Amino acid sequence: MDKIFDERSILASHPCFSKEAHGKFARVHLPVAPACNIQCGYCIRKFDCVNESRPGVASRILSPSDALERVRILLERNDYINVIGIAGPGDPLANEATFETLNALHREFPDITLCLSTNGLLLPDRMDDLLRCGVKTLTITINSLSRAPAEKIYSHVVYKNQFLKGRTAAECLIHNQWNGLFKAVQAGLVIKINTICMPGINDEEIPLIATHAGNIGAHTMNIMPLIPQGKFKDIERPSCGTLTKLRETCGVFVSQMTHCTQCRSDAFGLLGEDRDMELEVLNSRIGEDYCDNVL
Ligand code: CLF
Ligand code: SF4
């Protein structure tokens, strides 16, 4: 399938999709999406979505207009920002504010790469909206291919006003995630799969997830270690050796991301740099006030 944009130039300048780019280009995360439509066993909902963020960190929610204002300031002061992402603190597709923000960004900054991370439940339903908003790179967290692990991982799913549990919830989420991945590839998006490695729950299935995702056309895979918390607080965190081995095995089927820093849903700067967006905005305002006073 032809890409709807120059995939090579996106990859060369996206800090998450390219290891080479991550020391040169930065991303901004806009925390405009508080609501979530599923419950993962490793998530405590008072913090950011663990599927794409550092556990135990809570971001302050911004309205779409506040988010846009921050982007204007950050882009003016930092010419190495190439990507604007929405990664929570809940699931971006479960929040209309996500689409409002993306639309406004796409209108005002048509050349910047818009990125989004999702649990995939609403992906088939919102694909056209994402394309209209100009999203180019997408992350889908997929933790299972079969029903048994999914039933252990997800305690409920809320889909089309129905509260689903057990087998029905697992089947609904798995179907939508894989169908969403297929549709996103068909639409020409550049896609990363995030998979949380949970020993004894889904670790044996991860190579199958990699095979299937690679066959469908995902560009890269990010295998992340479980941080034991919530319902999964007693499950052992996978060792570095386990992760390295899994990445080697899965790398045969789909390229592996190894430089993820599990950033916050309001992260800004180079990966791992952790600059404070609010401080940057404040500095900009102080600068303006200072100039207004001395001129
Ligand atoms: Fe953000 Fe995610 Fe886009 Fe990157 S993060 S929405 S793909 S712009 Fe990057 Fe952060 Fe790891 Fe995510 S280091 S948690 S992989
Ligand atoms: Fe938490 Fe993210 Fe899972 Fe929602 S999708 S329950 S925010 S980890």
Side-chain angles (χ1 to χ4, degrees):
M1 171 61 54
D2 287 343
K3 297 287 171 194
I4 46 182
F5 40 78
D6 181 359
E7 183 184 357
R8 264 189 309 178
S9 79
I10 301 262
L11 291 175
S13 58
H14 195 304
C16 304
F17 282 73
S18 154
K19 195 165 188 178
E20 290 67 45
H22 92 279
K24 292 186 244 163
F25 297 102
R27 47 81 184 96
V28 177
H29 275 177
L30 299 171
V32 296
C36 188
N37 44 17
I38 68 174
Q39 179 62 58
C40 307
Y42 46 76
C43 177
I44 305 171
R45 284 298 294 119
K46 59 183 178 187
F47 300 125
D48 288 2
C49 175
V50 197
N51 287 340
E52 182 79 350
S53 311
R54 188 172 315 146
V57 173
S59 297
R60 178 185 146 197
I61 311 297
L62 293 179
S63 68
S65 57
D66 284 346
L68 190 64
E69 191 210 341
R70 276 158 180 73
V71 170
R72 287 188 190 118
I73 293 170
L74 295 174
L75 290 182
E76 201 178 296
R77 292 168 63 89
N78 302 275
D79 57 8
Y80 61 115
I81 293 174
N82 241 22
V83 176
I84 301 180
I86 300 186
D91 184 69
L93 297 186
N95 294 266
E96 284 313 310
T98 298
F99 298 94
E100 206 182 308
T101 308
L102 290 170
N103 268 319
L105 289 167
H106 189 43
R107 269 196 305 270
E108 194 163 327
F109 307 104
D111 295 330
I112 201 137
T113 299
L114 296 179
C115 189
L116 182 132
S117 155
T118 176
N119 61 36
L121 179 66
L122 290 175
L123 197 49
D125 301 298
R126 302 309 299 260
M127 184 64 64
D128 290 345
D129 297 321
L130 282 182
L131 296 175
R132 260 193 297 275
C133 293
V135 167
K136 293 176 182 152
T137 54
L138 181 72
T139 295
I140 315 167
T141 297
I142 301 187
N143 291 322
S144 61
L145 191 57
S146 57
R147 186 171 45 81
E151 266 193 69
K152 291 184 194 149
I153 299 166
Y154 306 105
S155 55
H156 72 249
V157 160
V158 181
Y159 185 59
K160 297 193 172 167
N161 294 325
Q162 284 189 297
F163 188 88
L164 310 174
K165 288 180 81 73
R167 179 184 184 137
T168 334
E171 285 176 350
C172 171
L173 183 59
I174 292 172
H175 176 268
N176 285 11
Q177 288 175 329
W178 289 101
N179 183 24
L181 169 60
F182 181 76
K183 284 189 166 193
V185 170
Q186 292 295 305
L189 297 180
V190 184
I191 298 150
K192 170 163 72 67
I193 300 298
N194 276 4
T195 301
I196 315 269
C197 173
M198 295 163 256
I201 305 253
N202 73 339
D203 49 341
E204 287 182 1
E205 205 175 59
I206 291 178
L208 282 177
I209 296 173
T211 314
H212 206 47
N215 284 342
I216 293 176
H219 181 269
T220 191
M221 179 185 205
N222 178 19
I223 302 175
M224 303 156 92
L226 170 78
I227 310 284
Q229 61 173 16
K231 196 177 117 194
F232 287 177
K233 65 179 179 351
D234 297 324
I235 295 178
E236 201 184 330
R237 184 185 161 107
S239 67
C240 286
T242 304
L243 290 174
T244 306
K245 227 170 137 198
L246 255 180
R247 286 173 184 146
E248 268 169 27
T249 308
C250 295
V252 175
F253 311 112
V254 59
S255 88
Q256 297 290 304
M257 177 181 188
T258 53
H259 61 287
C260 175
T261 53
Q262 289 186 280
C263 35
R264 306 164 53 126
S265 70
D266 64 356
F268 143 61
L270 298 172
L271 297 194
E273 195 186 30
D274 261 349
R275 292 180 61 182
D276 188 327
M277 189 191 315
E278 295 309 316
L279 189 63
E280 185 81 353
V281 170
L282 189 67
N283 282 341
S284 155
R285 286 182 181 145
I286 290 170
E288 281 160 20
D289 288 350
Y290 177 76
C291 292
D292 285 348
N293 287 335
V294 293
L295 288 178

